[in-house]
Amino acid sequence: MTHRFSSSETIKDQVRDHYAQRIQSGTCCGPSSGRCDNSTPTEIALYGAETVAALPQGLTSFGCGNPVALASLRMGEVVLDLGSGGGLDVLLAAQRVGATGYVYGLDMTDEMLSVARRNAGRAGATNVEFLKGDIERIPLPSNTVDVIISNCVINLTPDKALALGEAFRVLKPGGRLAISDIVIDGDLSRFPVTEGQIRAALSWTGCIAGALTIEEYRTLLSDAGFTDSAVTVQHRYTIDDLPSDAPLDLATIPADVLNGLAGCFTSSAITARKPE
């Protein structure tokens, strides 16, 4: 499904520029749920201090969940991280699949890839590779990956149906999808302004405007060919969680609608499987 309030390429350019700046400044992604304050870095809140301590210092998370834990990775598996950013999830996955496994990180932002490769070198990880590309056109052959993970990235892509279809293509039969993403719980059409107005007032780069509803996610997963899909809400955001640096125009949304939106936007865990 594509929410086209800007052209696809314009959205990608905005996302690419935004995250190039974020990786250089070291600040986190959009909705914070209190995780981007000075007291609790995002990566500590999502993964725990002990897990982060085992990685090179300075790794920053731009995510909204812990897809590595969700994936229950096993030794020897081949993993693909869609939108791998600075490489935190790739390095965690590499630890879990071991020397007999392999982890690809895919990102479209040069600055992210540069940081990720540097982090992999600092970690001494030899079973990882970072690829430049678009998750709507994954640069890997079909049926080559055991597990796909992703952390707050699917919401950023304009054509989610194409991205999920590509994920299905590269998974081996029996392969599984385990992603964290921003998801809308409920139907935005119930508000006295249009869904288009709501999304236009929010920000693609802040991980909100492009979010799917739970039902849209389930439908797109099914349409792509996935089975055993589940979307599980893990955290509900408030209006105060919207990013302060994103180009929002919330003044166009009535106060009662903003209050009603509170809790609709969630961090959710999405799992599914490619049939054998």
Side-chain angles (χ1 to χ4, degrees), residues 3 154-157 160 182 199 203-204 207-212:
H3 297 296
I154 300 298
N155 69 84
L156 296 171
T157 192
K160 294 160 179 60
I182 304 299
R199 292 185 182 276
S203 168
W204 275 83
C207 307
I208 292 292
L212 294 168

Side-chain angles (χ1 to χ4, degrees), residues 108-251:
M108 67 177 182
T109 305
D110 288 327
E111 291 82 357
M112 288 287 193
L113 291 166
S114 177
V115 170
R117 288 166 180 151
R118 185 164 64 247
N119 286 334
R122 292 166 60 206
T126 59
N127 59 339
V128 306
E129 181 179 354
F130 290 97
L131 307 171
K132 182 175 182 180
D134 191 322
I135 68 172
E136 295 175 2
R137 296 173 182 82
I138 298 174
L140 287 174
S142 301
N143 307 313
T144 55
V145 176
D146 294 300
V147 186
I148 287 180
I149 61 174
S150 185
N151 202 343
C152 200
V153 171
I154 300 298
N155 69 84
L156 296 171
T157 192
D159 195 330
K160 294 160 179 60
L162 185 56
L164 292 174
E166 277 289 274
F168 185 88
R169 178 185 66 80
V170 301
L171 278 173
K172 298 175 184 177
R176 59 196 189 276
L177 183 80
I179 61 180
S180 298
D181 206 9
I182 304 299
V183 181
I184 299 170
D185 183 13
D187 185 356
L188 296 182
S189 66
R190 65 187 175 88
F191 293 101
V193 293
T194 68
E195 179 177 347
Q197 287 174 297
I198 293 171
R199 292 185 182 276
L202 300 171
S203 168
W204 275 83
T205 60
C207 307
I208 292 292
L212 294 168
T213 67
I214 290 176
E215 288 307 312
E216 286 173 337
Y217 236 121
R218 289 172 175 158
T219 297
L220 289 185
L221 288 168
S222 177
D223 290 348
F226 286 102
T227 60
D228 304 323
S229 65
V231 182
T232 305
V233 173
Q234 297 185 313
H235 176 81
R236 295 185 184 275
Y237 295 111
T238 69
I239 296 302
D240 291 338
D241 289 325
L242 291 172
S244 60
D245 65 338
L248 308 182
D249 190 15
L250 297 181

